[in-house]
Amino acid sequence: MKHAALSALLFLTTSTTAWAGERIISAGSGITELMYAVGAEDQIVAVDITSKSYVGEDVPKLGYHRQLSAESMIALHPDRVLGSEDMGPETTLNLLRQAGIKIDILNSGETVEDLASRVIQVGELTGKQEAAKILVDTIHQQVTSIQQRLTAQSDRQRILFLTIHGGRAPMVGGRHTTADTLIQLAGGINPAAEQIASYKPLSAEAMLAMQPDIILLSTHTSQTIGGIDGLLKTLPLLAATPAGQQKKILTIDGTALIGGLNLKSLEEAERLNQAIYGQ
Amino acid sequence: MPLIMGLLLFASISSILVGPMSIHVSDVLWALLPGKGTVAPHIELIIQQVRLPRTLLCIAIGAILALCGAVMQGLFRNPLADPGIIGVAGGASLGAAMAIVLFSGLAVSYPLLLTLGTVPAFAFIGGVVTTWVVYQLGTDRSGTSVTVMLLAGVAIGALSGAALGLLNFYADDQALRDLSLWTMGSLAGATWPGISLAFSTLAILFWLFNRRASALNALLLGESEAKHLGIHVQQLKRLLILLCAAGVGVAVSLSGVIGFVGLIVPHLGRMLAGPNHKTLLPLSALLGALILLISDMLARVAAAPAELPVGIITALIGAPFFITLLMKQRGRLQ
């Protein structure tokens, strides 16, 4: 027993020294955020475009994580590339492997478990296991306290998340999306979750049938269309929903919705909960 | 012609020397010689597995697209014809989309295309099937009507657009993004088996097209005139359409949809050397290779360390160049 504990400890220390100080390319905002959160930001040598809000001007941006250039990446002499399943193209990844660069695919899932396991993985790959463990505990505490608060708030608001790109049908966040998790953590019900999965274009009529109490938009979308008035101009039918009648829209930071469920999502869920129910 | 060849050679060498990573010329030369580890392994990898394959693929794809464009314009006697006009690009996109959305988990074992993966295989099949449908629609007992084919191509194009839209609706976000990237075209996927396929396709097309250069010249006079000159117009059409579909199918399956080259290059060729297909075909092939090489070089370094889709570049440099030429040549075109 003691022996096992000792060897486990030894294993921990050796693996830590093995990983610490690697040069890492992070191709995914959900990963970059966590590298900062566990204090491994000094290992980052470049990021993809979705991570740009987390890093300074001086960190090279490799563009879109599905269209990475092998030569640019090899030129940065990374030891390791971390990315989501979307990372590509496959030919680039194969060339990186040939150049002796290690590639790790991390989840970009939308559940709390996905986030926790991503934190643990980032901790292991950067030699920051301790910080990762503390962060996971913090996340679980945060979620537990959110859940406890929700049991006290019995009145569930129906919240519909929309993203609107000029001229195209608005997309609605269904089940298996970060937006859906965020709505639930904020104490709302997502009326679209029963009918659709992922983000789908939805007619104004279908939205009307869902009778949302609150419309949730990203800050960027809200600014582009001009707040609640702009929204009602774009989708006049929404005026016949509780959200439209009471002019209730809420906005969230767009970074809370990319790269899977992330720390920002939890923060935003808490903030929304405050905004909806007050204290 | 010799000038264009010289330019092409120069562009090919530049394409191997230029990239996001600065590599000394002597290292590039050493890396091109196999074995004898005189340069760092990562440099060798970049030259042998990134820049050289990409340069070669550019030459082959550019030449194929331009050749097929020249043949289509000659065959349809329409300066706006390009390989996309018979629905091949739309069909290929649809095939690729189906592969991405519906079968991304399955491996297709089809010997020739095995090395290229599911998506390219479906792109190729989609392109050839669409062309066949368009051809059948335009053909009856009296022969093939190019006008009907053009219209059918437009209709089929719209239909594949609709089917794409439908796939978009049912696909999840990830598959969608793969799809949109694929339709922008890129030469980043250059692999040696792909290059062999591209060059064999180019060699076969080049040989078969050139043998029919005189027949294409005769067709410029009109179909009935060509028949009086003893040309089997119907046979010629069928063969050329099939070859173009195969050529564009291969090109699309290797590098996605790269527009513009097939439409513009034959015009440049005619402006430089007149409408005779005996010179136009080889010249188009050279020009197509040259333009795609330069475009890809820019795509690789313009936004480094990120990479631009090559289709954006072909349009950006090609269009103004083309308009300038048009202005100069107005008199001759009317």
Side-chain angles (χ1 to χ4, degrees):
Chain A
M1 188 69 217
K2 210 171 179 180
H3 185 78
L6 191 69
S7 57
L9 190 72
L10 266 176
F11 170 75
L12 264 181
T13 47
T14 48
S15 63
T16 309
T17 46
W19 303 136
E22 279 192 330
R23 294 171 60 81
I24 293 178
I25 288 178
S26 169
S29 61
I31 297 160
T32 311
E33 181 196 49
L34 295 179
M35 284 184 75
Y36 273 81
V38 300
E41 66 272 22
D42 56 342
Q43 298 176 36
I44 295 177
V45 290
V47 296
D48 71 320
I49 199 82
T50 60
S51 309
K52 91 172 180 264
S53 57
Y54 297 104
V55 298
E57 278 298 306
D58 52 334
V59 177
K61 318 285 184 296
L62 296 162
Y64 190 40
H65 59 266
R66 291 168 178 276
Q67 223 180 0
L68 297 165
S69 149
E71 187 177 334
S72 302
M73 289 168 89
I74 294 170
L76 293 160
H77 297 293
D79 299 302
R80 192 178 284 279
V81 177
L82 306 184
S84 64
E85 283 133 18
D86 303 346
M87 182 169 58
E90 200 50 45
T91 41
T92 294
L93 300 185
N94 286 335
L95 283 163
L96 295 175
R97 288 188 192 105
Q98 280 181 43
I101 296 162
K102 297 181 279 283
I103 292 174
D104 292 280
I105 308 288
L106 282 65
N107 80 65
S108 51
E110 76 290 344
T111 66
V112 176
E113 289 71 45
D114 289 331
L115 172 60
S117 74
R118 204 185 318 137
V119 172
I120 295 292
Q121 260 186 297
V122 168
E124 278 169 0
L125 294 167
T126 55
K128 304 281 182 192
Q129 291 91 336
E130 278 306 308
K133 227 172 91 47
I134 294 166
L135 182 56
V136 170
D137 290 341
T138 317
I139 290 168
H140 283 312
Q141 277 164 13
Q142 201 177 0
V143 173
T144 313
S145 75
I146 289 176
Q147 306 284 21
Q148 277 170 349
R149 198 175 334 132
L150 291 185
T151 50
Q153 300 162 337
S154 55
D155 150 51
R156 293 274 172 270
Q157 296 278 302
R158 296 162 71 80
I159 305 175
L160 198 60
F161 175 77
L162 301 183
T163 115
I164 300 167
H165 297 289
R168 272 191 280 164
M171 306 273 268
V172 173
R175 61 179 175 277
H176 307 316
T177 61
T178 306
D180 185 51
T181 307
L182 212 149
I183 289 169
Q184 288 178 37
L185 288 174
I189 297 171
N190 179 7
E194 301 148 29
Q195 298 179 35
I196 53 172
S198 84
Y199 295 94
K200 290 265 161 43
L202 213 60
S203 69
E205 228 172 284
M207 288 179 218
L208 183 64
M210 290 177 183
Q211 286 293 302
D213 301 305
I214 297 170
I215 301 285
L216 187 60
L217 301 169
S218 76
T219 317
H220 175 76
T221 300
S222 178
Q223 280 167 352
T224 318
I225 63 168
I228 180 73
D229 299 316
L231 180 68
L232 291 175
K233 223 174 267 160
T234 318
L235 299 163
L237 276 181
L238 286 181
T241 63
Q245 281 150 10
Q246 292 159 32
K247 296 210 163 185
K248 276 179 97 171
I249 59 165
L250 287 169
T251 59
I252 43 168
D253 190 328
T255 49
L257 297 171
I258 51 171
L261 190 75
N262 55 39
L263 304 175
K264 188 84 190 168
S265 324
L266 297 181
E267 236 176 83
E268 289 291 89
E270 296 235 42
R271 193 180 59 78
L272 280 188
N273 182 270
Q274 294 280 352
I276 299 166
Y277 297 102
Q279 273 309 317
Chain B
M1 197 74 97
L3 171 73
I4 304 285
M5 277 187 182
L7 280 175
L8 182 60
L9 188 67
F10 177 71
S12 312
I13 293 166
S14 315
S15 169
I16 296 173
L17 294 177
V18 171
M21 192 192 274
S22 46
I23 300 175
H24 199 273
V25 179
S26 63
D27 283 351
V28 173
L29 292 176
W30 282 117
L32 287 170
L33 302 168
K36 309 302 160 286
T38 40
V39 290
H42 70 269
I43 290 185
E44 205 164 77
L45 181 82
I46 281 180
I47 301 298
Q48 290 179 6
Q49 300 294 328
V50 180
R51 291 192 195 170
L52 181 64
R54 218 168 150 153
T55 302
L56 293 172
L57 189 67
C58 270
I59 293 171
I61 300 282
I64 289 175
L65 290 175
L67 262 182
C68 292
V71 169
M72 283 286 129
Q73 287 176 7
L75 187 65
F76 288 88
R77 291 187 305 287
N78 180 331
L80 287 177
D82 74 344
I85 206 143
I86 47 172
V88 61
S93 307
L94 187 59
M98 283 169 83
I100 289 171
V101 176
L102 308 172
F103 311 101
S104 48
L106 291 176
V108 174
S109 46
Y110 186 72
L112 174 70
L113 297 158
L114 183 63
T115 48
L116 308 170
T118 324
V119 174
F122 270 78
F124 179 81
I125 295 165
V128 175
V129 167
T130 323
T131 311
W132 183 81
V133 170
V134 170
Y135 174 80
Q136 287 301 327
L137 287 172
T139 309
D140 59 12
R141 249 175 261 151
S142 59
T144 305
S145 152
V146 286
T147 318
V148 177
M149 253 192 90
L150 282 181
L151 292 171
V154 172
I156 295 284
L159 203 59
S160 20
L164 269 175
L166 205 59
L167 280 175
N168 273 357
F169 184 81
Y170 286 110
D172 60 6
D173 301 357
Q174 292 188 22
L176 272 188
R177 293 196 196 102
D178 278 344
L179 190 62
S180 63
L181 272 185
W182 196 86
T183 51
M184 286 196 290
S186 162
L187 292 134
T191 58
W192 289 106
I195 291 167
S196 327
L197 175 67
F199 273 102
S200 356
T201 308
L202 176 61
I204 294 167
L205 289 182
F206 192 74
W207 180 63
L208 290 172
F209 284 157
N210 268 318
R211 286 186 49 198
R212 284 158 184 82
S214 321
L216 276 167
N217 284 344
L219 256 188
L220 290 178
L221 304 168
E223 277 190 36
S224 48
E225 288 79 356
K227 277 183 192 147
H228 292 311
L229 289 169
I231 290 164
H232 296 289
V233 175
Q234 188 54 28
Q235 245 179 331
L236 179 74
K237 275 191 213 166
R238 196 178 311 150
L239 179 81
L240 293 181
I241 288 168
L242 181 75
L243 288 177
C244 280
V248 177
V250 166
V252 168
S253 68
L254 291 173
S255 56
V257 180
I258 299 173
F260 202 86
V261 177
L263 174 68
I264 300 301
V265 169
H267 286 271
L268 295 182
R270 274 188 289 271
M271 286 167 180
L272 290 170
N276 182 348
H277 284 87
K278 283 182 176 151
T279 49
L280 179 64
L281 293 177
L283 184 63
S284 292
L286 287 174
L287 282 171
L290 181 66
I291 284 182
L292 198 57
L293 255 184
I294 295 169
S295 303
D296 187 57
M297 235 188 295
L298 287 169
R300 280 186 293 144
V301 296
E307 204 170 281
L308 289 170
V310 73
I312 293 177
I313 309 273
T314 46
L316 272 181
I317 56 172
F321 183 45
F322 183 60
I323 290 167
T324 322
L325 274 170
L326 275 183
M327 292 289 103
K328 281 189 179 163
Q329 301 275 342
R330 267 191 74 156
R332 212 190 296 178
L333 282 171
Q334 280 162 356

